Amino acid sequence: MRKSYFTLFFIILIIFSFPISFILSLIYGQIYIPLNEIISPHGFYYTILFRIRLPTVIASALIGASLSIAGAIMQLLLRNPLMDPYVSGTASGGAFGAVLAYFLLAFNLPFGWLIYISPLIAFFFSLLATVITLAIGKKTGVYGIIIGGVVVSYLFSSMLTMLLEAIEYKYPQVPPPLFWLLGEIQIVGYEFDEALGTLVFLLIIFSIIESRKLDLVHISDELSFAKKVNPNRYRMLWIIFLSVIVGLIVSQVGIIGFIGIIVPHIVRRTIGGNSSTLIPFSAILGSSIMMLSNIIASGALGFVIPVTAITSVLASPIIIYVLVKSRVSEGY
């Protein structure tokens, strides 16, 4: 009975965390907007709210939801509690591809075209990095996926840094290294919100529809084959879809890490681990945590902090806990 009340409490807490985080994100940032100006904005506050703050807050919510769901799905499919797009190298590969797209300017490609081409190249390298990580893990097991992901992530991050150094003087419009390596949700528009919102909507719908298959592949490959589901093909289809989303995110806001580890683990430990529960609640909680993190990152303390610096601090105790409890080696 006590456990049921505990679960109900966390369900209510997660649900109400979203509207509270959303309102706080509209109020706080580099410029404080009073609550009365949120309700009925005028003049200067109207411009800040609707042209800068609101699209950024919506982007934060969508990014938090998509990365949390991506982390939850990767953990289910790969049976590894420490997987997310950051650890798997997916995000680093995408960031490398996004910056690589700037070299197309050397062929006199209009700069405005990069907003369409960059996500495509980012998707390709997101997928490539993830496939390399999985190939390493196939030979070395669960721990090998983590180590392989870290190696792949460092590899693409290093190449990304070299790319940025190479084009820093030639193309000053390219964002600085910290933006790509640690992420900043500062300047985004409604166009990005619409594109990512569509993908997040499809991600939630597909993951709910496919929840039974996700749980099936999570349990065992043998059982999946028995139910006429090819687990390897199924994993690859999801990885391609997740790489599209991650590629779009990193092409616009850089690498945002560890949110995919934090959120699914909290939901799994407090509410439940089956996909029909894990995915929707991860989406809500991920949105809330990302919005609150971006309040701090966007200048609420008087200076701007990369988002990954905040999420990594939150993720560290969870990663240590999982490793100490040896849940990785016991199965997940």
Side-chain angles (χ1 to χ4, degrees):
M1 182 66 70
R2 181 176 297 179
K3 185 177 181 180
S4 299
Y5 283 123
F6 179 78
T7 302
L8 179 62
F9 169 76
F10 268 96
I11 290 174
I12 295 172
L13 182 64
I14 290 174
I15 293 174
F16 278 96
S17 68
F18 182 86
I20 293 172
S21 302
F22 186 82
I23 294 172
L24 291 176
S25 296
L26 293 177
I27 295 173
Y28 294 101
Q30 286 182 306
I31 297 176
Y32 171 80
I33 302 179
L35 183 59
N36 64 301
E37 292 291 344
I38 297 293
I39 299 172
S40 180
H42 300 85
F44 178 67
Y45 288 120
Y46 181 91
T47 302
I48 294 176
L49 180 62
F50 287 103
R51 294 191 179 182
I52 301 174
R53 187 69 56 82
L54 185 59
T56 301
V57 172
I58 294 173
S60 300
L62 292 173
I63 290 169
S66 56
L67 293 180
S68 298
I69 296 174
I73 291 174
M74 293 179 77
Q75 290 169 17
L76 286 170
L77 294 178
L78 301 176
R79 307 185 193 114
N80 190 320
L82 296 179
M83 291 305 295
D84 84 330
Y86 187 83
V87 174
S88 65
T90 310
S92 298
F96 173 79
V99 174
L100 187 64
Y102 282 89
F103 276 93
L104 296 175
L105 294 173
F107 300 97
N108 297 319
L109 182 74
F111 185 78
W113 286 23
L114 287 181
I115 192 173
Y116 306 106
I117 296 176
S118 180
L120 296 177
I121 301 178
F123 154 68
F124 173 78
F125 281 97
S126 292
L127 181 60
L128 177 63
T130 309
V131 170
I132 293 173
T133 300
L134 294 180
I136 295 173
K138 188 176 181 180
K139 298 292 184 180
T140 56
V142 176
Y143 273 115
I145 294 179
I146 300 174
I147 297 171
V150 171
V151 172
V152 170
S153 181
Y154 273 118
L155 174 63
F156 278 102
S157 295
S158 300
M159 292 192 296
L160 171 61
T161 303
M162 289 188 285
L163 274 182
L164 289 168
E165 291 295 330
I167 64 178
E168 180 179 3
Y169 298 105
K170 190 172 181 61
Y171 303 110
Q173 63 268 47
V174 179
L178 274 181
F179 170 87
W180 294 106
L181 295 174
L182 297 176
E184 289 183 16
I185 311 173
Q186 295 292 326
I187 304 174
V188 293
Y190 290 111
E191 296 84 0
F192 172 71
D193 293 342
E194 291 171 359
L196 183 57
T198 302
L199 289 175
V200 171
F201 175 77
L202 293 174
L203 177 61
I204 293 174
I205 295 300
F206 289 155
S207 59
I208 292 175
I209 293 173
E210 296 288 306
S211 60
R212 294 186 66 181
K213 289 184 180 178
L214 286 169
D215 290 333
L216 193 64
V217 175
H218 170 63
I219 293 171
S220 80
D221 285 4
E222 291 79 9
L223 185 59
S224 300
F225 279 117
K227 297 294 183 178
K228 299 182 179 180
V229 176
N230 186 321
N232 296 322
R233 184 183 304 166
Y234 192 72
R235 289 188 184 99
M236 186 53 62
L237 290 174
W238 271 110
I239 287 169
I240 292 172
F241 186 25
L242 295 177
S243 296
V244 171
I245 297 175
V246 173
L248 176 62
I249 291 173
V250 298
S251 70
Q252 302 298 314
V253 301
I255 300 172
I256 297 177
F258 298 116
I259 194 74
I261 293 178
I262 302 170
V263 176
H265 187 80
I266 294 174
V267 174
R268 189 179 288 109
R269 297 290 294 176
T270 56
I271 298 177
N274 64 74
S275 58
S276 59
T277 301
L278 182 64
I279 289 169
F281 282 104
S282 291
I284 298 171
L285 183 59
S287 295
S288 302
I289 291 178
M290 183 57 69
M291 285 188 288
L292 293 175
S293 297
N294 198 53
I295 291 175
I296 301 173
S298 61
L301 300 179
F303 50 90
V304 175
I305 306 172
V307 178
T308 298
I310 299 169
T311 56
S312 61
V313 170
L314 297 175
S316 296
I318 292 177
I319 295 173
I320 294 171
Y321 173 80
V322 173
L323 291 174
V324 168
K325 291 292 184 179
S326 300
R327 293 190 179 274
V328 176
S329 59
E330 295 171 7
Y332 205 61

